[in-house]
Amino acid sequence: MMQESGPETKSNGSAIQNGSSSGNHLLECGSLREGRSNGETPAVDVGAADLAHVQQQQALQVARQLLLQQQQQQQVSGLKSPKRNDKQPALQVPVSVAMMTPQVITPQQMQQILQQQVLSPQQLQVLLQQQQALMLQQQQLQEFYKKQQEQLQLQLLQQQHAGKQPKEQQQVATQQLAFQQQLLQMQQLQQQHLLSLQRQGLLTIQPGQPALPLQPLAQGMIPTELQQLWKEVTSAHTAEETTGNNHSSLDLTTTCVSSSAPSKTSLIMNPHASTNGQLSVHTPKRESLSHEEHPHSHPLYGHGVCKWPGCEAVCEDFQSFLKHLNSEHALDDRSTAQCRVQMQVVQQLELQLAKDKERLQAMMTHLHVKSTEPKAAPQPLNLVSSVTLSKSASEASPQSLPHTPTTPTAPITPVTQGPSVITTTSMHTVGPIRRRYSDKYNVPISSDIAQNQEFYKNAEVRPPFTYASLIRQAILESPEKQLTLNEIYNWFTRMFAYFRRNAATWKNAVRHNLSLHKCFVRVENVKGAVWTVDEVEFQKRRPQKISGNPSLIKNMQSSHAYCTPLNAALQASMAENSIPLYTTASMGNPTLGNLASAIREELNGAMEHTNSNESDSSPGRSPMQAVHPVHVKEEPLDPEEAEGPLSLVTTANHSPDFDHDRDYEDEPVNEDME
DNA sequence: TTTATATTAAACATGT
DNA sequence: AACATGTTTAATATAA
């Protein structure tokens, strides 16, 4: 009769739906329809759009703050120790922690991401990869800065010898420039990461959100401003790296930054610099020392260019470089100040790096080991929580089972939940509205499914695809490219934990879609009838749905734009600093590579829509097959094996029944009730 | 605001 | 009669 649908489904559905509307948005994540809560959820689009701006502004703000602070520090230090060469650790500490906020992703952000249903294992993986890459880079940067410290030491030594010449203004300018360079480098790293996140729609930070203050250093800056800053930085930077042509570039910075004149300050040996061991020891030797030891590799000399911060003088050979060094970078106020700045920069970066590392470590441990510590309270926060939402789920198995299957699912359990902030309320505003970017990203669908197979299998997260897309996917995955209704059902239940519930509902939807869409063709068969896909038709209906929200695309594009310069600059700098791993040519940098490719992919996807792509099949499928060729194997007929990989939860609950088509259909909880 | 799609629910038809 | 399979219609939500 009413079948399960009657009271059950309803109750079920209502439970879920109500749940979401009731206040827990998290719940929404899992629930099919965000529907009810229409009013309360502003709009993600806005969030995304604003996000960019807010972040940009924040970034700028922070950047400026940094500069200001630095200036202040300089002044202070200047007062303190008027240009002496004593070695006090003073410099070491001055770095204000405040400004070192975050870099990669703050826990809060992470949580947010996790809570937004959008997150998928694939994305998590990417995230992790990026984090790792970032870490790598940072390590390298650290090395780089250590080197620079060496340089500083050398410079100091040298300066001690030589006299001093006042050029405060200039020095400051150069210092600032150098500082900016460094700072921006770090920021760029972070920015890349965040951009990539944004690209994936993972990050949706809203203006007022308390949870995420101005963490992001330089997420994405407003093009104009960014350009400005970038110019300031790159001008000198590039010059330095490449063959340094534009000396004038330096002036740019000068204007805006030159304000504080530290002029005379004590040079402080950086106590902790590991490198000191080698260099600092040399007392009054002079740079000759170092180069004597390393004839070909003077930290301040590379690619025929003087690498003194802010200096890109071209030096034919090492000798001329030495000359240049002695004449231009002798011990004077300017050089001294530069050293100081450089030290600060290094220290800041190190501090930041340390923090980031820590954070990363925490993140990784959390994501990987997650299950180990089931943070008590915040249970309901995660996507997975959706499971809990549904009465059935909660009742069925109060999660004695670690929901943590193999991979990313685990991470989804937010846990940490640092500040309660992100909790429901905040989420509320954020409106993690579950949007179905389903078809929009045509291409991705298959690959997404493939890549997140495990995730969807185990986490009761509604796949962000339309029924039509899913059905098509199911059919296309079959060896014969055709499936019976029942086989389609099986595919759904096999592939998505989400569809192991409320069978009546989604099955009805499947049938409805099969009948409704012309793209699904019913073919009479001896055995009965099978459903096939008319690709042409399927593609036809696609063009209309523009993919994703514009803001996102915008972000992607902009990020893309940034990417280039960032890429170049970063890689160049790395190459410059003899960081082996990354060669410009190879685009070896994982992070950059990932980002770039990801962006490209997204852009392509967006584009494809524009030009009625025919592609879904090709682009979409190919990746998937490439990734998980195996998948095809599972015959719709015997789904059982598919279970294998399923996580505890699933397996535990369902595996036994799996064989039978209907098993999932009636979650004992739901159906039996009736 | 309008329009096109998606989703969900449900009535109804048909065949086993 | 009970189901499974299909077809349709309608209400509602969402995105463009």
Side-chain angles (χ1 to χ4, degrees):
Chain A
M1 347 218 94
M2 294 310 282
Q3 293 132 295
E4 50 288 39
S5 62
E8 302 271 355
T9 3
K10 258 192 187 167
S11 63
N12 238 344
S14 63
I16 298 175
Q17 296 162 358
N18 291 342
S20 61
S21 62
S22 66
N24 229 335
H25 284 279
L26 302 173
L27 302 188
E28 279 188 335
C29 301
S31 71
L32 256 185
R33 30 168 65 226
E34 46 287 21
R36 317 292 181 241
S37 51
N38 184 2
E40 33 186 347
T41 51
V44 175
D45 288 343
V46 180
D50 293 347
L51 166 74
H53 284 283
V54 172
Q55 289 178 343
Q56 290 166 355
Q57 291 182 349
Q58 288 178 347
L60 278 178
Q61 217 179 344
V62 174
R64 302 216 151 116
Q65 219 178 1
L66 276 175
L67 290 176
L68 274 179
Q69 288 189 21
Q70 216 214 337
Q71 290 174 358
Q72 291 176 347
Q73 286 175 7
Q74 287 181 347
Q75 290 176 342
V76 172
S77 58
L79 294 175
K80 263 199 224 157
S81 49
K83 152 204 174 146
R84 294 242 231 56
N85 299 334
D86 21 332
K87 346 189 154 167
Q88 2 175 13
L91 261 189
Q92 234 176 336
V93 192
V95 184
S96 91
V97 181
M99 38 202 236
M100 321 230 53
T101 7
Q103 16 272 34
V104 201
I105 305 174
T106 66
Q108 288 83 11
Q109 288 175 326
M110 195 62 178
Q111 274 187 354
Q112 200 182 0
I113 292 167
L114 290 174
Q115 291 172 15
Q116 298 187 7
Q117 188 260 359
V118 213
L119 192 62
S120 70
Q122 174 199 0
Q123 293 167 330
L124 272 174
Q125 281 178 2
V126 173
L127 206 157
L128 276 178
Q129 284 178 353
Q130 289 174 347
Q131 289 284 327
Q132 288 174 336
L134 196 61
M135 190 168 69
L136 240 180
Q137 288 183 334
Q138 288 182 337
Q139 283 176 348
Q140 292 177 336
L141 271 180
Q142 195 179 30
E143 287 180 30
F144 163 49
Y145 289 119
K146 278 183 183 171
K147 273 199 175 180
Q148 295 210 330
Q149 275 191 329
E150 291 180 32
Q151 294 178 22
L152 283 175
Q153 309 275 335
L154 289 176
Q155 291 172 11
L156 289 176
L157 293 176
Q158 188 186 13
Q159 287 170 5
Q160 287 176 356
H161 264 274
K164 24 181 154 175
Q165 320 158 5
K167 297 177 191 173
E168 304 187 348
Q169 296 282 329
Q170 235 189 350
Q171 354 180 139
V172 177
T174 28
Q175 290 167 15
Q176 296 291 358
L177 178 64
F179 176 77
Q180 281 187 337
Q181 289 176 13
Q182 320 279 348
L183 176 63
L184 272 199
Q185 272 194 347
M186 288 303 288
Q187 290 179 346
Q188 286 155 21
L189 283 177
Q190 182 195 1
Q191 185 184 3
Q192 287 175 5
H193 200 67
L194 290 172
L195 279 176
S196 68
L197 286 177
Q198 287 179 17
R199 174 192 70 76
Q200 299 173 26
L202 295 179
L203 252 191
T204 314
I205 302 173
Q206 295 211 331
Q209 196 165 7
L212 317 171
L214 23 131
Q215 309 270 21
L217 258 188
Q219 300 220 340
M221 307 185 129
I222 297 168
T224 48
E225 304 198 71
L226 177 85
Q227 278 183 357
Q228 232 183 343
L229 268 179
W230 181 252
K231 257 186 201 166
E232 295 172 4
V233 179
T234 46
S235 57
H237 205 43
T238 47
E240 179 183 348
E241 296 169 7
T242 54
T243 21
N245 301 329
N246 36 355
H247 308 271
S248 55
S249 58
L250 288 178
D251 306 331
L252 293 177
T253 2
T254 326
T255 50
C256 43
V257 197
S258 66
S259 62
S260 64
S263 60
K264 353 187 151 173
T265 51
S266 59
L267 295 179
I268 306 149
M269 302 309 268
N270 190 339
H272 83 290
S274 55
T275 50
N276 284 349
Q278 329 166 337
L279 299 177
S280 63
V281 178
H282 330 326
T283 28
K285 272 192 179 178
R286 61 166 69 188
E287 92 290 313
S288 59
L289 204 176
S290 68
H291 80 256
E292 285 176 353
E293 298 175 357
H294 310 286
H296 295 297
S297 64
H298 191 294
L300 288 175
Y301 182 68
H303 293 65
V305 176
C306 172
K307 297 167 85 172
W308 182 283
C311 174
E312 67 281 338
V314 179
C315 302
E316 293 298 295
D317 52 34
F318 196 73
Q319 291 307 316
S320 59
F321 160 72
L322 289 178
K323 257 185 203 166
H324 161 82
L325 197 59
N326 286 318
S327 60
E328 298 300 318
H329 306 299
L331 176 58
D332 56 9
D333 287 346
R334 174 168 161 251
S335 299
T336 301
Q338 287 177 327
C339 276
R340 260 198 29 241
V341 172
Q342 185 68 12
M343 282 173 135
Q344 287 190 351
V345 168
V346 171
Q347 287 174 0
Q348 277 196 16
L349 289 171
E350 283 178 344
L351 221 177
Q352 202 167 344
L353 179 63
K355 275 194 168 184
D356 267 335
K357 275 184 177 174
E358 206 178 328
R359 198 168 287 154
L360 175 62
Q361 196 54 48
M363 285 171 67
M364 293 178 77
T365 30
H366 165 60
L367 292 180
H368 284 304
V369 191
K370 151 248 152 145
S371 57
T372 51
E373 325 152 66
K375 315 321 179 55
Q379 236 183 357
L381 288 181
N382 44 32
L383 310 181
V384 186
S385 63
S386 59
V387 179
T388 30
L389 288 187
S390 63
K391 258 193 242 170
S392 54
S394 58
E395 297 177 3
S397 58
Q399 300 314 313
S400 49
L401 309 169
H403 220 312
T404 67
T406 43
T407 37
T409 323
I412 293 181
T413 350
V415 193
T416 19
Q417 192 49 66
S420 52
V421 197
I422 297 203
T423 56
T424 27
T425 45
S426 64
M427 288 317 285
H428 202 349
T429 50
V430 177
I433 304 174
R434 192 203 107 271
R435 33 184 62 223
R436 53 163 176 270
Y437 46 94
S438 39
D439 287 350
K440 332 172 165 192
Y441 305 110
N442 268 338
V443 185
I445 179 176
S446 48
S447 57
D448 178 288
I449 293 177
Q451 292 176 25
N452 302 327
Q453 224 181 50
E454 286 306 307
F455 175 75
Y456 290 131
K457 272 185 184 173
N458 304 315
E460 253 180 85
V461 176
R462 182 186 183 118
F465 304 103
T466 61
Y467 280 111
S469 298
L470 290 172
I471 293 168
R472 170 177 165 274
Q473 188 59 37
I475 293 173
L476 292 181
E477 278 186 20
S478 70
E480 308 279 327
K481 300 284 186 281
Q482 59 175 44
L483 292 176
T484 65
L485 178 64
N486 199 45
E487 289 169 339
I488 294 174
Y489 288 161
N490 289 338
W491 185 85
F492 271 68
T493 51
R494 186 171 64 243
M495 301 297 286
F496 304 92
Y498 181 85
F499 293 117
R500 283 163 203 169
R501 240 179 256 311
N502 303 322
T505 299
W506 65 261
K507 283 183 178 178
N508 185 18
V510 168
R511 288 195 304 274
H512 172 251
N513 273 268
L514 284 171
S515 294
L516 188 66
H517 298 300
K518 282 181 277 187
C519 59
F520 297 120
V521 182
R522 184 171 175 273
V523 178
E524 289 290 343
N525 190 343
V526 204
K527 210 169 131 194
V530 291
W531 290 94
T532 60
V533 177
D534 182 340
E535 273 303 314
V536 178
E537 279 299 324
F538 185 83
Q539 297 306 332
K540 263 200 207 163
R541 47 147 226 157
R542 177 176 282 317
Q544 300 150 16
K545 348 184 158 171
I546 300 171
S547 57
N549 60 49
S551 57
L552 195 118
I553 294 181
K554 245 190 220 162
N555 281 344
M556 298 190 300
Q557 289 174 334
S558 56
S559 62
H560 193 335
Y562 295 154
C563 193
T564 308
L566 288 178
N567 219 337
L570 219 152
Q571 289 183 4
S573 75
M574 289 184 138
E576 276 296 314
N577 297 289
S578 64
I579 294 174
L581 282 187
Y582 310 127
T583 36
T584 323
S586 63
M587 176 94 166
N589 184 310
T591 302
L592 293 176
N594 281 346
L595 178 63
S597 64
I599 291 169
R600 224 175 292 128
E601 191 183 324
E602 290 296 337
L603 286 177
N604 287 341
M607 294 316 201
E608 286 178 26
H609 289 293
T610 318
N611 19 313
S612 66
N613 73 70
E614 35 38 37
S615 54
D616 185 26
S617 53
S618 53
R621 253 188 95 64
S622 51
M624 150 174 236
Q625 293 173 335
V627 179
H628 292 280
V630 200
H631 194 301
V632 183
K633 278 210 153 201
E634 19 181 49
E635 293 226 19
L637 295 182
D638 46 355
E640 12 186 26
E641 357 181 333
E643 275 310 46
L646 283 183
S647 68
L648 324 170
V649 184
T650 3
T651 13
N653 292 338
H654 307 288
S655 62
D657 305 335
F658 208 146
D659 306 4
H660 312 294
D661 306 345
R662 47 177 68 231
D663 340 350
Y664 289 125
E665 137 180 2
D666 7 14
E667 278 277 21
V669 185
N670 302 337
E671 316 264 356
D672 293 341
M673 290 299 294
E674 225 321 280

